Amino acid sequence: MSFTFDARRRATLTAVVDTFVASVPRDDDPTGFWAVKGSDLQVDAAVEQYLLEHLPEEELESLGQLLDTAALVGMKNQPQAIREAILANLGGIAPEAGLAVASLCQLSTMIAYGVMDDQGRNPLWAGVGYPGPVSAPPATPKTITTIAPTAGETLSADVVIVGSGSGGGVAAAMLSQAGKNVIVVEGGSYRNEADFVQNELFAYQTLFLRGGFFPSADGNVMLAAGGTVGGGSTVNWSNSLKTPDVVRKEWADAGLEDALGPEFDEHLAQVFARMGCNQDVALQNAQHERLAEELRAWATRTARWIST
Ligand SMILES: Cc1cc2nc3c(=O)[nH]c(=O)nc-3n(C[C@H](O)[C@H](O)[C@H](O)COP(=O)(O)OP(=O)(O)OC[C@H]3O[C@@H](n4cnc5c(N)ncnc54)[C@H](O)[C@@H]3O)c2cc1C
């Protein structure tokens, strides 16, 4: 039997979404940020579509059972505080249920802040001071020739590398420079600057593995990885730190030859030179500035505490 969202499940999903992206009455709400709830932005419909497209049938059935249980206790007719308690209790039933509730929360908020209307705007952005896309993508031509082999077609190479990320991409370049005929097999699509439309949801769907953040098997950690040509190097933040000595030592202890030697330093220097790494653009955003301030204050407090 294939899974469906019937009217009851759909109404319960809407109540779940509106619990995570809740309308909060406030007098000081000049942009309407607090008043907007998820279903006002059609987040419930988008979550439903995402679940149907990404979850295997078995997981959809489990989710259906979770929604049915929430419906039994009248989730959709309860006030915010009770709905929050219902979700907390449902999440505590079993690790899988906790994971489902956490994933629904994450999906609801991600879509709420990422979704755009016909004018390319989102009513929540003004409240958080986000201007939205500020420019059209540049018309940068694509420089890599990709091929999509047809069924039965045979390709030959000296080396086949699976994955075009930071590891695979560098290995392919080195082998190619050494005269090898290299094929790089990449599961994601090829996109470059011309495709970067400054829309977070679109970026997750087109550039990230599994369409964005996803939980580890035990649900304890959320993971993010690139799923496009270039892998993580296409989507990462380019913070470039030389591999710390403690990590190199760990690798050496695990049997990696040369991890502690000068050759390794030479490799790092080459990568830094190729990427043009420097400290000139290390401006911190407001969040990082607050974090740094608080850490400095904490360090001062701790130092005083240690000295007394
Ligand atoms: C959002 C984000 C921000 C980050 N910021 C930083 C940062 O600032 N500084 C930093 O040093 N690191 C950062 N990282 C981490 C860094 O990008 C990764 O550690 C690095 O890219 C890992 O390289 P990799 O080659 O192991 O894998 P990846 O770069 O993830 O490449 C794997 C590639 O293999 C492809 N693939 C997987 N399975 C298959 C298959 N079966 N068939 C075909 N193709 C397949 C994937 O689509 C992907 O393109 C960030 C990562 C993310 C996701």
Side-chain angles (χ1 to χ4, degrees), residues 162-168 185-188 208-209 213 224-233 235-241:
V162 180
S164 62
S166 313
V185 181
E186 172 52 55
F208 278 66
L209 201 66
F213 287 79
T228 181
V229 168
S233 63
V235 297
N236 81 16
W237 302 312
S238 301
N239 285 330
S240 303
L241 305 174

Side-chain angles (χ1 to χ4, degrees), residues 240-296:
S240 303
L241 305 174
K242 288 196 171 157
T243 315
D245 289 345
V246 61
V247 175
R248 289 171 65 170
K249 167 94 174 45
E250 203 179 312
W251 289 351
D253 291 346
L256 189 69
E257 289 171 20
D258 301 334
L260 296 176
E263 272 192 8
F264 195 95
D265 293 315
E266 187 54 35
H267 290 313
L268 290 181
Q270 274 183 34
V271 173
F272 264 50
R274 166 92 188 257
M275 291 178 62
C277 300
N278 61 66
Q279 296 186 351
D280 299 344
V281 289
L283 297 174
Q284 304 293 341
N285 65 16
Q287 274 169 311
H288 291 166
E289 275 172 15
R290 292 296 89 72
L291 185 63
E293 275 169 21
E294 204 44 47
L295 282 171
R296 276 193 289 271

Side-chain angles (χ1 to χ4, degrees), residues 177-199:
Q177 278 166 16
K180 301 289 181 194
N181 184 11
V182 183
I183 287 179
V184 179
V185 181
E186 172 52 55
S189 55
Y190 175 29
R191 295 176 194 270
N192 74 345
E193 291 86 336
D195 305 304
F196 300 160
V197 294
Q198 300 178 28
N199 175 265

Side-chain angles (χ1 to χ4, degrees), residues 159-172:
V159 185
V160 176
I161 292 178
V162 180
S164 62
S166 313
V170 173

Side-chain angles (χ1 to χ4, degrees), residues 61-137:
E61 288 297 346
S62 305
L63 180 77
Q65 286 170 16
L66 193 82
L67 291 175
D68 291 343
T69 311
L72 273 180
V73 292
M75 173 92 182
K76 75 181 172 67
N77 299 318
Q78 302 294 343
Q80 174 74 16
I82 304 287
R83 280 184 277 124
E84 286 177 13
I86 292 172
L87 286 173
N89 286 333
L90 283 176
I93 291 173
E96 295 79 11
L99 179 57
V101 171
S103 300
L104 283 172
C105 174
Q106 197 228 339
L107 256 185
S108 303
T109 47
M110 183 179 84
I111 293 174
Y113 284 95
V115 76
M116 296 201 290
D117 63 18
D118 295 343
Q119 274 74 49
R121 309 297 310 162
N122 176 314
L124 295 177
W125 289 348
V128 292
Y130 174 58
V134 289
S135 58

